[in-house]
Amino acid sequence: MRGADSGAASLPARTDHGELHAMKWFEIGLVALTAFTGLVWLLDKLYFAKRRAAREGLLDEGEPLVIDYSKAFFPVLLVVLILRSFIAEPFRIPSNSMMPTLLTGDFILVNKFAYGLRLPITNRKFVEIGEPERGDVVVFRPPHHPDQDWIKRVIGLPGDRVGYYDNQVHLNGEPLAYDSAGAYNGHGKGSEMTGADLLTENLPGRSHAVLERTNLPFLDQGEGEWIVPPGHYFVMGDNRDNSEDSRYWGFLPEQNLRGKAFLIWMNIDGGVGFSRIGDSIQ
């Protein structure tokens, strides 16, 4: 059985997580701007406004531009920071690793309080609320790329024994059942997966669609068996032959969770995919 630090001899084609990475810098900028404008507003309220009032009539002194802008933007920035840090945060899917559930170009919303309230930037949890359930689609910071945000599906919970052999997940010694839905027909950037097997994976409590390729005999499928340690999760992409996940880099620590994906609110991949707007993420 493999431990948390075990990997495969070679990886499948890596997926591009660059656009999710960019969200980190937006978060830092938002926190910095909110803190700066809030500090200027507070100093003005406690000190500078009284000083201007005392000098009124002696000089025609208007409100400084930096104070004027800070007072205008601070409430807006604070509301945005609270909403995206503790309520819901938008992300854009940049790769095919979660096909067919999520497509390249999907814009999704992530529930930020499903697994506890966490501080922005540090991701430190300060309020316990809930824990991931098997089958949840989660956004997280992978342990080997802590400055990036990735998205996968929870397959194994703490204490589970997870196996993967011949394109089939085994959970606590029992192979999962699969129902065939024929050949997949991809569009846009997902057209590379046209012809892959479209299957329904009957994960306990959460059936969902997966893609598999059975015509690539030399592809490393990340086969093996793992026991999930306490405080960790085993995650996989739904596009099983095009996903860098726990099969290759190990278990996901609970403290690296960012939230639960729950809604597609837009899709843009060469055009607007109106049919996906408002779809819930299963």
Side-chain angles (χ1 to χ4, degrees), residues 110-183:
V110 174
N111 183 327
K112 295 302 293 288
F113 59 85
Y115 309 135
L117 298 182
R118 300 171 188 264
L119 294 174
I121 301 178
T122 66
N123 205 46
R124 184 185 298 274
K125 183 161 63 174
F126 64 95
V127 175
E128 298 275 354
I129 294 180
E131 297 178 348
E133 298 179 358
R134 188 177 288 111
D136 284 359
V137 177
V138 299
V139 170
F140 58 93
R141 290 176 178 163
H144 58 308
H145 290 296
D147 58 339
Q148 299 180 13
D149 291 316
W150 289 18
I151 185 166
K152 305 292 179 188
R153 186 182 298 276
V154 174
I155 300 296
L157 302 176
D160 281 345
R161 179 158 54 96
V162 180
Y164 191 72
Y165 303 102
D166 297 325
N167 291 311
Q168 189 174 27
V169 172
H170 295 243
L171 192 59
N172 297 318
E174 297 293 330
L176 299 186
Y178 293 80
D179 300 317
S180 176

Side-chain angles (χ1 to χ4, degrees), residues 217-257:
F218 300 108
L219 180 70
D220 175 21
Q221 297 178 347
E223 293 185 341
E225 191 167 290
W226 305 261
I227 295 179
V228 186
H232 292 74
Y233 298 90
F234 192 93
V235 296
M236 297 177 69
D238 289 346
N239 191 351
R240 292 293 158 79
D241 298 315
N242 189 23
S243 174
E244 183 181 345
D245 50 43
S246 287
R247 292 172 290 173
Y248 304 99
W249 47 259
F251 306 112
L252 170 65
E254 188 278 337
Q255 62 265 28
N256 289 40
L257 289 167

Side-chain angles (χ1 to χ4, degrees), residues 95-100 102-104 182-198 210-216 219 238-243:
S95 75
N96 292 336
S97 70
M98 278 296 292
M99 289 178 63
L102 297 174
L103 307 181
T104 296
Y184 182 72
N185 184 27
H187 302 281
K189 293 181 180 178
S191 59
E192 66 180 31
M193 295 306 299
T194 294
D197 294 335
L198 177 61
V210 298
L211 292 182
E212 293 179 352
R213 286 195 181 276
T214 57
N215 59 346
L216 301 174
L219 180 70
D238 289 346
N239 191 351
R240 292 293 158 79
D241 298 315
N242 189 23
S243 174

Side-chain angles (χ1 to χ4, degrees), residues 13 22 38 50 58 69 77 80 82 139 156 209 229 239 259 275:
K50 296 177 181 178
L58 299 177
Y69 275 105
L77 292 170
V80 172
I82 291 174
V139 170
N239 191 351
S275 64

